[in-house]
Amino acid sequence: MSDSRSSNHADKAVFESSQSRQPEPIRENTPHPEQAMHTVIENFMIKMTELLETSMATRKNERVSATGVDEALERFLKFRPPEFYGEVEQETKAELFLEQLSDIYDTLKHEDILRITFAAFRLRGMAKDWQLRASEARALKNQSWTWNDFQEEFKSTYNKKELS
């Protein structure tokens, strides 16, 4: 029994000694393992927070951008822009199509990319086929398309009297 008491007493002394022990001073070159782990975790959490904030800001900008295009399309459609089906024989329809779109775009102050996109949205049948082929050909050549380029190609395809 005396052995177990002395053993318990020795264990208690070791426990109390470990409880009252002060942490070792942190040396400049070798951080305390607990502090080093805390620093790693803290840096990780800061980086994750930055990534989440960046991701959320990007998504917000994408939503705003998409909303802006949606609103621009909605305003464009309120003008009831014409549709064009690609009738080569009816040059006046092709002329009217471009004139009416240009008037709408001048009013709304759309950029070239929206002008081309919205014009393509109003093309039907053979005219839509032409636009898809023309866009693909420009993409293969790595050429951008301005509104003036679009109009010139459109006129050269559908306004035969302008060519004579």
Side-chain angles (χ1 to χ4, degrees), residues 64-82:
V64 168
S65 178
T67 301
V69 172
D70 291 346
E71 289 172 359
L73 179 60
E74 191 175 310
R75 287 192 325 264
F76 171 73
L77 291 174
K78 283 183 180 179
F79 283 88
R80 295 186 170 190

PDB file of all heavy atoms in Angstrom, residues 64-82:
ATOM      1  N   VAL A  64     -24.102  41.248 -62.319  1.00  0.00           N
ATOM      2  CA  VAL A  64     -24.380  42.615 -62.743  1.00  0.00           C
ATOM      3  C   VAL A  64     -24.216  42.721 -64.243  1.00  0.00           C
ATOM      4  O   VAL A  64     -25.050  43.306 -64.927  1.00  0.00           O
ATOM      5  CB  VAL A  64     -23.448  43.611 -62.007  1.00  0.00           C
ATOM      6  CG1 VAL A  64     -23.509  44.984 -62.629  1.00  0.00           C
ATOM      7  CG2 VAL A  64     -23.820  43.685 -60.536  1.00  0.00           C
ATOM      8  N   SER A  65     -23.150  42.133 -64.792  1.00  0.00           N
ATOM      9  CA  SER A  65     -22.903  42.176 -66.220  1.00  0.00           C
ATOM     10  C   SER A  65     -24.032  41.494 -66.986  1.00  0.00           C
ATOM     11  O   SER A  65     -24.541  42.023 -67.961  1.00  0.00           O
ATOM     12  CB  SER A  65     -21.570  41.511 -66.535  1.00  0.00           C
ATOM     13  OG  SER A  65     -21.353  41.506 -67.912  1.00  0.00           O
ATOM     14  N   ALA A  66     -24.422  40.298 -66.539  1.00  0.00           N
ATOM     15  CA  ALA A  66     -25.511  39.575 -67.197  1.00  0.00           C
ATOM     16  C   ALA A  66     -26.813  40.355 -67.071  1.00  0.00           C
ATOM     17  O   ALA A  66     -27.586  40.429 -68.027  1.00  0.00           O
ATOM     18  CB  ALA A  66     -25.657  38.177 -66.589  1.00  0.00           C
ATOM     19  N   THR A  67     -27.040  40.947 -65.916  1.00  0.00           N
ATOM     20  CA  THR A  67     -28.247  41.742 -65.713  1.00  0.00           C
ATOM     21  C   THR A  67     -28.236  42.938 -66.645  1.00  0.00           C
ATOM     22  O   THR A  67     -29.256  43.284 -67.230  1.00  0.00           O
ATOM     23  CB  THR A  67     -28.343  42.212 -64.243  1.00  0.00           C
ATOM     24  OG1 THR A  67     -28.357  41.059 -63.410  1.00  0.00           O
ATOM     25  CG2 THR A  67     -29.582  43.027 -64.009  1.00  0.00           C
ATOM     26  N   GLY A  68     -27.074  43.558 -66.828  1.00  0.00           N
ATOM     27  CA  GLY A  68     -26.960  44.701 -67.730  1.00  0.00           C
ATOM     28  C   GLY A  68     -27.296  44.330 -69.159  1.00  0.00           C
ATOM     29  O   GLY A  68     -28.001  45.076 -69.850  1.00  0.00           O
ATOM     30  N   VAL A  69     -26.837  43.176 -69.616  1.00  0.00           N
ATOM     31  CA  VAL A  69     -27.155  42.715 -70.974  1.00  0.00           C
ATOM     32  C   VAL A  69     -28.640  42.399 -71.074  1.00  0.00           C
ATOM     33  O   VAL A  69     -29.284  42.754 -72.063  1.00  0.00           O
ATOM     34  CB  VAL A  69     -26.291  41.492 -71.367  1.00  0.00           C
ATOM     35  CG1 VAL A  69     -26.764  40.898 -72.682  1.00  0.00           C
ATOM     36  CG2 VAL A  69     -24.828  41.879 -71.445  1.00  0.00           C
ATOM     37  N   ASP A  70     -29.182  41.746 -70.059  1.00  0.00           N
ATOM     38  CA  ASP A  70     -30.614  41.439 -70.059  1.00  0.00           C
ATOM     39  C   ASP A  70     -31.443  42.716 -70.149  1.00  0.00           C
ATOM     40  O   ASP A  70     -32.412  42.792 -70.906  1.00  0.00           O
ATOM     41  CB  ASP A  70     -31.003  40.664 -68.796  1.00  0.00           C
ATOM     42  CG  ASP A  70     -30.448  39.257 -68.770  1.00  0.00           C
ATOM     43  OD1 ASP A  70     -29.980  38.776 -69.825  1.00  0.00           O
ATOM     44  OD2 ASP A  70     -30.467  38.635 -67.697  1.00  0.00           O
ATOM     45  N   GLU A  71     -31.062  43.720 -69.370  1.00  0.00           N
ATOM     46  CA  GLU A  71     -31.783  44.994 -69.392  1.00  0.00           C
ATOM     47  C   GLU A  71     -31.635  45.688 -70.742  1.00  0.00           C
ATOM     48  O   GLU A  71     -32.593  46.265 -71.265  1.00  0.00           O
ATOM     49  CB  GLU A  71     -31.298  45.900 -68.267  1.00  0.00           C
ATOM     50  CG  GLU A  71     -31.725  45.421 -66.901  1.00  0.00           C
ATOM     51  CD  GLU A  71     -31.087  46.201 -65.759  1.00  0.00           C
ATOM     52  OE1 GLU A  71     -30.283  47.124 -66.029  1.00  0.00           O
ATOM     53  OE2 GLU A  71     -31.403  45.890 -64.598  1.00  0.00           O
ATOM     54  N   ALA A  72     -30.437  45.621 -71.317  1.00  0.00           N
ATOM     55  CA  ALA A  72     -30.204  46.230 -72.633  1.00  0.00           C
ATOM     56  C   ALA A  72     -31.060  45.536 -73.697  1.00  0.00           C
ATOM     57  O   ALA A  72     -31.660  46.201 -74.544  1.00  0.00           O
ATOM     58  CB  ALA A  72     -28.731  46.157 -73.000  1.00  0.00           C
ATOM     59  N   LEU A  73     -31.129  44.211 -73.639  1.00  0.00           N
ATOM     60  CA  LEU A  73     -31.963  43.467 -74.592  1.00  0.00           C
ATOM     61  C   LEU A  73     -33.433  43.828 -74.411  1.00  0.00           C
ATOM     62  O   LEU A  73     -34.154  44.030 -75.391  1.00  0.00           O
ATOM     63  CB  LEU A  73     -31.758  41.960 -74.432  1.00  0.00           C
ATOM     64  CG  LEU A  73     -32.602  41.072 -75.355  1.00  0.00           C
ATOM     65  CD1 LEU A  73     -32.319  41.361 -76.822  1.00  0.00           C
ATOM     66  CD2 LEU A  73     -32.355  39.603 -75.040  1.00  0.00           C
ATOM     67  N   GLU A  74     -33.852  43.924 -73.181  1.00  0.00           N
ATOM     68  CA  GLU A  74     -35.250  44.287 -72.899  1.00  0.00           C
ATOM     69  C   GLU A  74     -35.581  45.669 -73.471  1.00  0.00           C
ATOM     70  O   GLU A  74     -36.618  45.854 -74.115  1.00  0.00           O
ATOM     71  CB  GLU A  74     -35.481  44.272 -71.382  1.00  0.00           C
ATOM     72  CG  GLU A  74     -36.927  44.370 -70.977  1.00  0.00           C
ATOM     73  CD  GLU A  74     -37.083  44.225 -69.470  1.00  0.00           C
ATOM     74  OE1 GLU A  74     -36.534  43.257 -68.906  1.00  0.00           O
ATOM     75  OE2 GLU A  74     -37.751  45.094 -68.886  1.00  0.00           O
ATOM     76  N   ARG A  75     -34.681  46.640 -73.276  1.00  0.00           N
ATOM     77  CA  ARG A  75     -34.901  47.991 -73.816  1.00  0.00           C
ATOM     78  C   ARG A  75     -34.904  47.956 -75.345  1.00  0.00           C
ATOM     79  O   ARG A  75     -35.725  48.611 -75.994  1.00  0.00           O
ATOM     80  CB  ARG A  75     -33.829  48.958 -73.310  1.00  0.00           C
ATOM     81  CG  ARG A  75     -33.995  49.337 -71.856  1.00  0.00           C
ATOM     82  CD  ARG A  75     -33.120  50.506 -71.413  1.00  0.00           C
ATOM     83  NE  ARG A  75     -31.810  50.600 -72.025  1.00  0.00           N
ATOM     84  CZ  ARG A  75     -30.675  50.129 -71.506  1.00  0.00           C
ATOM     85  NH1 ARG A  75     -30.691  49.517 -70.346  1.00  0.00           N
ATOM     86  NH2 ARG A  75     -29.527  50.282 -72.137  1.00  0.00           N
ATOM     87  N   PHE A  76     -33.983  47.172 -75.913  1.00  0.00           N
ATOM     88  CA  PHE A  76     -33.900  47.033 -77.364  1.00  0.00           C
ATOM     89  C   PHE A  76     -35.215  46.481 -77.930  1.00  0.00           C
ATOM     90  O   PHE A  76     -35.760  47.011 -78.902  1.00  0.00           O
ATOM     91  CB  PHE A  76     -32.721  46.115 -77.713  1.00  0.00           C
ATOM     92  CG  PHE A  76     -32.637  45.708 -79.148  1.00  0.00           C
ATOM     93  CD1 PHE A  76     -32.235  46.610 -80.130  1.00  0.00           C
ATOM     94  CD2 PHE A  76     -32.930  44.408 -79.531  1.00  0.00           C
ATOM     95  CE1 PHE A  76     -32.142  46.229 -81.456  1.00  0.00           C
ATOM     96  CE2 PHE A  76     -32.837  44.013 -80.858  1.00  0.00           C
ATOM     97  CZ  PHE A  76     -32.447  44.930 -81.825  1.00  0.00           C
ATOM     98  N   LEU A  77     -35.735  45.446 -77.298  1.00  0.00           N
ATOM     99  CA  LEU A  77     -36.957  44.808 -77.794  1.00  0.00           C
ATOM    100  C   LEU A  77     -38.194  45.692 -77.641  1.00  0.00           C
ATOM    101  O   LEU A  77     -39.168  45.533 -78.384  1.00  0.00           O
ATOM    102  CB  LEU A  77     -37.170  43.461 -77.093  1.00  0.00           C
ATOM    103  CG  LEU A  77     -36.153  42.384 -77.460  1.00  0.00           C
ATOM    104  CD1 LEU A  77     -36.361  41.128 -76.612  1.00  0.00           C
ATOM    105  CD2 LEU A  77     -36.216  42.056 -78.954  1.00  0.00           C
ATOM    106  N   LYS A  78     -38.158  46.640 -76.722  1.00  0.00           N
ATOM    107  CA  LYS A  78     -39.292  47.570 -76.562  1.00  0.00           C
ATOM    108  C   LYS A  78     -39.476  48.439 -77.804  1.00  0.00           C
ATOM    109  O   LYS A  78     -40.566  48.936 -78.061  1.00  0.00           O
ATOM    110  CB  LYS A  78     -39.093  48.454 -75.333  1.00  0.00           C
ATOM    111  CG  LYS A  78     -39.393  47.725 -74.037  1.00  0.00           C
ATOM    112  CD  LYS A  78     -39.263  48.647 -72.849  1.00  0.00           C
ATOM    113  CE  LYS A  78     -39.571  47.853 -71.578  1.00  0.00           C
ATOM    114  NZ  LYS A  78     -39.441  48.681 -70.376  1.00  0.00           N
ATOM    115  N   PHE A  79     -38.419  48.609 -78.593  1.00  0.00           N
ATOM    116  CA  PHE A  79     -38.505  49.377 -79.828  1.00  0.00           C
ATOM    117  C   PHE A  79     -39.108  48.558 -80.973  1.00  0.00           C
ATOM    118  O   PHE A  79     -39.291  49.072 -82.067  1.00  0.00           O
ATOM    119  CB  PHE A  79     -37.121  49.883 -80.245  1.00  0.00           C
ATOM    120  CG  PHE A  79     -36.642  51.063 -79.462  1.00  0.00           C
ATOM    121  CD1 PHE A  79     -35.946  50.899 -78.281  1.00  0.00           C
ATOM    122  CD2 PHE A  79     -36.889  52.354 -79.919  1.00  0.00           C
ATOM    123  CE1 PHE A  79     -35.493  51.991 -77.570  1.00  0.00           C
ATOM    124  CE2 PHE A  79     -36.444  53.453 -79.209  1.00  0.00           C
ATOM    125  CZ  PHE A  79     -35.746  53.277 -78.023  1.00  0.00           C
ATOM    126  N   ARG A  80     -39.391  47.301 -80.704  1.00  0.00           N
ATOM    127  CA  ARG A  80     -39.922  46.367 -81.701  1.00  0.00           C
ATOM    128  C   ARG A  80     -39.071  46.364 -82.981  1.00  0.00           C
ATOM    129  O   ARG A  80     -39.550  46.707 -84.065  1.00  0.00           O
ATOM    130  CB  ARG A  80     -41.367  46.684 -82.021  1.00  0.00           C
ATOM    131  CG  ARG A  80     -42.256  46.487 -80.838  1.00  0.00           C
ATOM    132  CD  ARG A  80     -43.669  46.649 -81.186  1.00  0.00           C
ATOM    133  NE  ARG A  80     -44.451  46.207 -80.044  1.00  0.00           N
ATOM    134  CZ  ARG A  80     -45.725  46.045 -80.066  1.00  0.00           C
ATOM    135  NH1 ARG A  80     -46.404  46.277 -81.164  1.00  0.00           N
ATOM    136  NH2 ARG A  80     -46.361  45.640 -78.988  1.00  0.00           N
ATOM    137  N   PRO A  81     -37.812  45.947 -82.826  1.00  0.00           N
ATOM    138  CA  PRO A  81     -36.920  45.938 -83.991  1.00  0.00           C
ATOM    139  C   PRO A  81     -37.404  44.926 -85.027  1.00  0.00           C
ATOM    140  O   PRO A  81     -38.039  43.923 -84.679  1.00  0.00           O
ATOM    141  CB  PRO A  81     -35.578  45.515 -83.400  1.00  0.00           C
ATOM    142  CG  PRO A  81     -35.925  44.774 -82.153  1.00  0.00           C
ATOM    143  CD  PRO A  81     -37.174  45.406 -81.626  1.00  0.00           C
ATOM    144  N   PRO A  82     -37.108  45.199 -86.284  1.00  0.00           N
ATOM    145  CA  PRO A  82     -37.584  44.298 -87.338  1.00  0.00           C
ATOM    146  C   PRO A  82     -36.826  42.981 -87.337  1.00  0.00           C
ATOM    147  O   PRO A  82     -35.748  42.866 -86.771  1.00  0.00           O
ATOM    148  CB  PRO A  82     -37.274  45.093 -88.613  1.00  0.00           C
ATOM    149  CG  PRO A  82     -36.083  45.922 -88.241  1.00  0.00           C
ATOM    150  CD  PRO A  82     -36.294  46.292 -86.799  1.00  0.00           C
TER     151      PRO A  82
END
